[in-house]
Amino acid sequence: MPHPLSPRFRPRVAALTVFAVLLPALLAGCGEDDRKEDLTEQKLDWKACPAPSEAQGGGTSPSPLPGGRGEWSCATMKAPLNWDEPEGDTIDIALIRARSSGAASERIGSLIFNFGGPGGSGVTALPAFGEDYATLRTRYDLVSFDPRGVGRSAPVTCQNDQQLDAYFQQDATPDDSAERTELMDITKEFNAACEKNSERILPHVRTTDAARDLDLMRQILGDEKLHYFGISYGTELGGVYAHLFPKKVGRAVFDAVVDPTQDAEQGSLGQARGFQLALDNYAEHCVSQTQECPVGDSAQDVKDRIAKLLKDLDGSPVPGLFPRELTQTAATNGIVQALYSQDFWDFLTDGLEQAYDGDGTILMLLSDSMNGRRENGEYNNLVAANISINCADDKPRYSPADVQRRLPGFRAVSGLFGDYLAWGLIGCTDWAVPGAADHPQVNAPGADPILVIGNTGDPATPYEGARRMAQALGEGVGVELTYRGQGHGAYDSGNKCVQDAVHGYLLDGKVPAAGTVCS
C-alpha cells in the first residue's frame, strides 16, 4: 500500500534518527517500582470507535469487520508525556483492535501494526486494510495505534488549512536567491507555528518515545513479548524497539524497510535514486503495452515530456482544483505519490495526459492525497507530525548553502527528483527541538528472529535498506527475504510467496531461510 511522503517538508526517506545515549534504568522500564501510578496496571476501556477526528483525516466510523463478524473497538492508553519523568504528566494514546476470529485455544496474542509515515494514523489505516490481514487475525487480535503526536494521540498542530494550502503552493525547488529566501521564510513560518501551537509535545515525539509506548502497550495488552508488523517507517520504529527491549521481541515482520545506517542526506539521496528507478520502470511499462502509450513514444520520450511539463509549470501553472493551480511542486508531489504503487500507474498516465492539455485535476488530487488534504479542504495532521518526528529524531541541520553544495550529487542521481529531494533537507532548519542522532540504533543482540522484507522496485525505501537493516539487527536476528516486484512494500502486493513466508512465521513460528527470493 502507498504511504504518504512529502519531500516538501523533508521526506521520510532514510532512517529517522533516535536518541542513543539512554540511562540503563530507562532501558529496563523507567523505574516502574517507584512510580506513583503504575501505568502498566491500567485497564483499557474498549468501546465502539468514533468517527475519525480531523487530525486523523475525518470520515465515518470504521465499517464492520471483514465478513460482517464483529466490530472494530477503540480505547485510550495513558503514557508518560516525558519518559525521562515517568511519574509526571501523561498523554492519551489512541488504539484500535479487532479481536481474533479463531478459536481461543489457537490465539497467540496481539499483533501490533505501524503503517509508516511517520505521522500516519494507525487507527484509521488498520480498518482501511483490515481485509488484507484476515489470515493473521485467525490467531491474533489485530491492534494499531496513533503514535504520539499523531491523530488522536496528543496531535501536533501547526498551521490551519488555509495556511497549509499556501505552504504547499510554494516553490520547493528555488532557482535564484529571491526564491531561496521565500522558501526559507515560509519554512520558518511553518516551524514557528508548530512551536507556538505544540510546544508541550514537540520534545517528546522521538521514535524512542514511541518505542517505549509500544512496550507499555505490550504489557497492558497482556503479552509477554511484542508481536509486531511494521511497514515503512514502522520498520524503523520496530528496529528501535528491538534495540531497547531485545528480550521482549516476539514474532516480528518488517516490510518496506528503512535503511537504519543512513543520515538524512544519505536517505534523501537514496530516495531520489529510488523514485528515478520507479519512474524508469513506469516509462518502460507504458511503452511496452500493446496499446500505444499516450504520454510518450519511447521510455526516454515519456521522461523527457514529464521533465518539460515540470519546467513549464515552474513559470506557468495550469488550473488544478479551483481556486488552486497545479504548480511545479504540486505536479511533482502527484507524480511521486503515483510511483508508490504500480496500481497507481494508470492514474499517473491519465494525470499526465490531462496536464499536457492544461488540466491539473488528477495530479493535484494525487498531491493532496500525499499531503493529507481532503476534498473539503481539511488537512489531517500528517504534515505536522511528519516534520515533528523527523526533526526531533534527525540531528543534522542544513542551510541553503549546504543544499546548493549538494545539488550536483542529487542531480547526478535524478535530474527529475534531485532538486526536489535536496531542498527538502531544509525542513528542520530553525526547528525548536534539537535532533537526537545521525541515525537510529537498531542492533538487538539476543532478540528473536525478525523477518526483514525488501522489494527490489521500492521507490520510497530502496531495496538495499533491507539488507542493511538485517545486518544491523545482528547475526541470528535479522532474516532477509527479497521480493522482486514494484511499489512500496511486499506483503500487500498479494504475492503468494511473500504472504506464505509471513504467515508461516507469524502464525506458525517457521522462520524462512535467510536469502529467500520471491518473484
Side-chain angles (χ1 to χ4, degrees):
M1 71 192 69
H3 297 271
L5 165 141
S6 269
R8 179 65 182 80
F9 51 85
R10 224 301 281 161
R12 165 67 278 149
V13 289
L16 287 181
T17 52
V18 295
F19 187 57
V21 183
L22 300 168
L23 294 175
L26 294 176
L27 297 179
C30 306
E32 289 169 2
D33 291 342
D34 299 327
R35 185 181 282 144
K36 294 178 182 177
E37 177 186 3
D38 189 347
L39 293 177
T40 65
E41 298 296 325
Q42 64 185 293
K43 304 297 182 183
L44 299 180
D45 185 15
W46 294 99
K47 297 180 179 179
C49 294
S53 66
E54 181 177 339
Q56 290 175 310
T60 59
S61 299
S63 302
L65 290 166
R69 299 178 61 184
E71 300 284 341
W72 296 95
S73 56
C74 289
T76 299
M77 179 185 82
K78 296 288 185 183
L81 168 66
N82 182 353
W83 272 104
D84 290 342
E85 299 176 1
E87 296 180 3
D89 294 343
T90 62
I91 58 173
D92 291 342
I93 304 295
L95 281 68
I96 190 167
R97 180 180 69 179
R99 297 304 296 265
S100 171
S101 62
S105 60
E106 296 295 314
R107 180 181 177 275
I108 296 171
S110 295
L111 180 64
I112 300 179
F113 290 78
N114 181 282
F115 294 94
S121 166
V123 172
T124 59
L126 184 58
F129 299 103
E131 191 170 352
D132 295 348
Y133 304 108
T135 300
L136 297 174
R137 189 173 155 238
T138 60
R139 299 200 67 189
Y140 291 98
D141 295 344
L142 305 186
V143 176
S144 193
F145 64 106
D146 289 352
R148 54 176 58 216
V150 177
R152 274 202 165 94
S153 298
V156 174
T157 59
C158 297
Q159 294 183 323
N160 62 34
D161 295 331
Q162 292 72 30
Q163 291 169 324
L164 287 172
D165 274 346
Y167 179 72
F168 287 115
Q169 291 293 95
Q170 182 61 37
D171 188 345
T173 55
D175 300 311
D176 54 40
S177 60
E179 290 184 351
R180 288 191 290 272
T181 297
E182 192 172 3
L183 178 60
M184 288 303 301
D185 286 345
I186 199 168
T187 301
K188 289 178 181 179
E189 288 173 9
F190 182 93
N191 292 355
C194 297
E195 181 179 10
K196 177 182 178 181
N197 295 319
S198 303
E199 183 178 13
R200 179 173 180 260
I201 189 65
L202 288 188
H204 307 298
V205 294
R206 293 189 171 110
T207 300
T208 46
D209 297 314
R212 294 184 188 120
D213 293 341
L214 266 179
D215 198 60
L216 178 61
M217 199 179 306
R218 171 194 66 78
Q219 295 174 74
I220 293 170
L221 291 171
D223 290 330
E224 181 180 348
K225 292 191 173 185
L226 177 77
H227 306 299
Y228 181 77
F229 199 136
I231 303 165
S232 194
Y233 163 77
T235 67
E236 182 174 316
L237 174 58
V240 170
Y241 178 90
H243 174 69
L244 297 180
F245 307 100
K247 299 300 184 183
K248 297 300 182 182
V249 175
R251 299 177 187 177
V253 172
F254 294 175
D255 188 7
V257 184
V258 167
D259 187 337
T261 69
Q262 295 181 327
D263 63 19
E265 178 188 352
Q266 294 165 337
S268 292
L269 196 62
Q271 198 169 43
R273 186 179 294 108
F275 277 102
Q276 185 63 52
L277 173 63
L279 183 67
D280 293 344
N281 291 337
Y282 159 75
E284 291 286 354
H285 174 81
C286 187
V287 299
S288 70
Q289 302 303 296
T290 54
Q291 190 174 2
E292 181 181 354
C293 177
V295 291
D297 297 327
S298 67
Q300 189 59 51
D301 186 41
V302 171
K303 292 181 284 187
D304 289 344
R305 293 189 67 192
I306 292 173
K308 184 179 185 303
L309 170 69
L310 296 178
K311 183 177 180 180
D312 291 345
L313 289 173
D314 192 24
S316 301
V318 300
L321 295 171
F322 184 81
R324 296 175 299 145
E325 294 180 313
L326 181 73
T327 62
Q328 181 191 58
T329 299
T332 308
N333 281 345
I335 292 167
V336 166
Q337 175 72 339
L339 292 175
Y340 265 93
S341 171
Q342 190 169 355
D343 292 340
F344 287 3
W345 285 3
D346 287 343
F347 292 112
L348 177 55
T349 299
D350 293 342
L352 291 171
E353 273 195 285
Q354 198 181 67
Y356 294 148
D357 290 334
D359 182 352
T361 301
I362 293 176
L363 288 183
M364 183 156 272
L365 285 169
L366 287 166
S367 178
D368 285 349
S369 174
M370 190 172 71
N371 294 329
R373 188 186 194 273
R374 299 176 65 202
E375 290 185 23
N376 64 3
E378 292 180 353
Y379 286 85
N380 62 25
N381 91 313
L382 169 66
V383 175
N386 181 286
I387 296 173
S388 301
I389 297 168
N390 279 334
C391 294
D393 276 346
D394 287 344
K395 186 175 182 179
R397 299 292 188 253
Y398 300 91
S399 69
D402 293 329
V403 174
Q404 286 181 282
R405 284 193 294 270
R406 289 162 170 80
L407 279 174
F410 276 81
R411 288 169 177 166
V413 167
S414 175
L416 198 69
F417 301 116
D419 283 45
Y420 174 75
L421 284 150
W423 282 107
L425 292 171
I426 66 166
C428 296
T429 303
D430 298 318
W431 189 252
V433 176
D438 289 325
H439 58 82
Q441 296 295 320
V442 300
N443 58 303
D448 284 350
I450 296 173
L451 180 58
V452 178
I453 307 172
N455 181 353
T456 58
D458 195 317
T461 50
Y463 168 67
E464 295 79 10
R467 177 155 299 173
R468 291 173 187 153
M469 173 67 84
Q471 292 171 343
L473 287 167
E475 186 176 357
V477 180
V479 178
E480 184 185 8
L481 181 149
T482 294
Y483 168 54
R484 300 193 183 280
Q486 300 295 330
H488 189 39
Y491 181 86
D492 282 315
S493 70
N495 181 270
K496 186 176 186 300
C497 172
V498 172
Q499 294 190 342
D500 284 350
V502 170
H503 296 161
Y505 184 40
L506 290 180
L507 297 177
D508 301 317
K510 298 177 181 177
V511 183
T516 296
V517 177
C518 294
S519 300

